[in-house]
Amino acid sequence: MHHQRKAGSKLIATAATLLLAATGTIAASAPQSGTGGENGITVTTGAAKSDFTANDFTAKAVAPRAGEPAGYCKQPNPMTTAVNRTMDCYHMRIKVDVKRNGRTVGTASFTAWHEIHLNLKKVKWSEKITVSKAALTGSAGGIITTFHPSCGSGCQVHAGGGLASPFTLNGSAHTGSAAHTFTVSRGHPRSSHTRYEFDFKKPGYTGGETAYVGSTYRCDDEDRQYGAGCVYPTRISVEKDWTKLSDMANLPGIGDNIRKVQQAGLHIGYPGSTVPLTRATKTKADENRREVCGPSVHPQPGDIWWTVDPNDDGTKPSCDEYPFAETTQGGNTYNPPNRSIKWVPLKENRQQGGIIRTFYGRYHILPGDKFYVQAGA
């Protein structure tokens, strides 16, 4: 059953959330309490802790964290673009206090472990959630817990497994899922995040609750070949992958032009540099092309370094620019040596266009998304 929760139905703290900028994770609420009264439950959440090494080109295997479930947050080494765009994992520590006549008479402490794998090829995915064994003190026995996930407009999420129905905080772990389904149409990508609410009840006591949110994800259906899928949009991609040379590196003229700029000044678009490439809108891309490789730009003596065959359309001279026109770093954004043009055979530019379009579609790179190109040294 999909639960829609009204913000005013219970007392929920609205203090600012914690932002973990490196991963795009936004996953914390301020300490929260029950509805008050002398005999009641209050709840305190710790700071959200991301366990995923996002956008880290030097990442090594992550050491196990105390109490984590078996196999939790296992990441490839080296990282891949697919995993970096779709995986997240984090944990939240939660403490439940049982109070009688305003005095704490028992506590239940546990950790909620989250592991998410979005789907590049579908708008459906299932998140694994484990509620750890609870450490109980005093009169904290018998706390009934209900899990309510929600995920905003155009999205449905259902609790499953051991979290689908109320459970008791005790010496056993409870493992379940949050199955998501998004609705998108071409031209209308959607972003959202999942809200995780835990409600706590104990006979004779006023109930309490806590809630926090996960990383922002985005689903789209913009590419006709690859179809709909979902990613974490703040995660950086690499064409072709983190440790592999782009197919553009093997295009003699284009590969040379990319390397020339990447080895200079700002190292624009080179993996790990401080200036990644950013996909531009079509309007901006067209503007960039006019600025750098417009109709008034023609080859100069010495620019044609190959044999032009009048009977072969692919050998016509074609103006290639780096940074690419399809990025916000293109056009006249930078001066040489941080930008360059090179005349190449038209077939090279056509091949490059296919490589970039495939990359954008496969990894759902939309305008505003950042990426690198590995063209070698």
Side-chain angles (χ1 to χ4, degrees), residues 140-354:
I143 297 175
I144 305 298
T145 304
T146 306
F147 175 55
H148 299 288
S150 58
C151 59
S153 176
C155 179
Q156 292 185 330
V157 57
H158 305 274
L163 303 181
S165 56
F167 57 92
T168 302
L169 291 181
N170 52 29
S172 298
H174 303 272
T175 299
S177 62
H180 296 70
T181 302
F182 230 96
T183 301
V184 292
S185 58
R186 187 163 289 125
H188 300 280
R190 280 179 164 173
S191 296
S192 190
H193 57 252
T194 304
R195 180 179 184 274
Y196 309 95
E197 180 180 316
F198 288 92
D199 294 345
F200 306 95
K201 294 182 179 180
K202 181 177 171 65
Y205 295 83
T206 302
E209 67 178 36
T210 192
Y212 52 94
V213 298
S215 304
T216 297
Y217 41 77
R218 184 191 66 212
C219 298
D220 73 86
D221 190 15
E222 300 304 291
D223 189 271
R224 294 180 182 277
Q225 178 180 355
Y226 288 94
C230 305
V231 295
Y232 291 112
T234 61
R235 303 288 182 76
I236 298 178
S237 304
V238 183
E239 204 300 312
K240 164 177 186 178
D241 220 329
W242 287 35
T243 59
K244 299 177 182 178
L245 282 179
S246 167
D247 290 338
M248 285 182 270
N250 298 320
L251 300 176
I254 286 174
D256 179 70
N257 200 34
I258 294 172
R259 287 186 287 270
K260 177 183 175 181
V261 176
Q262 288 190 344
Q263 291 169 11
L266 298 174
H267 310 293
I268 297 172
Y270 187 78
S273 78
T274 58
V275 188
L277 298 167
T278 307
R279 185 178 178 182
T281 63
K282 184 179 185 304
T283 299
K284 178 61 176 174
D286 291 342
E287 177 186 320
N288 288 343
R289 289 190 183 93
R290 289 192 297 270
E291 288 179 350
V292 176
C293 284
S296 63
V297 179
H298 303 285
Q300 300 300 308
D303 286 344
I304 307 302
W305 46 270
W306 69 98
T307 300
V308 177
D309 182 354
N311 298 315
D312 179 8
D313 178 70
T315 67
K316 286 182 178 179
S318 178
C319 181
D320 170 68
E321 69 262 58
Y322 185 83
F324 308 132
E326 292 189 3
T327 68
T328 60
Q329 291 73 32
N332 289 323
T333 303
Y334 295 94
N335 294 320
N338 292 304
R339 70 172 169 90
S340 175
I341 67 168
K342 188 177 182 72
W343 289 90
V344 302
L346 180 58
K347 63 184 178 184
E348 275 201 32
N349 248 338
R350 288 172 174 167
Q351 287 176 286
Q352 182 196 44

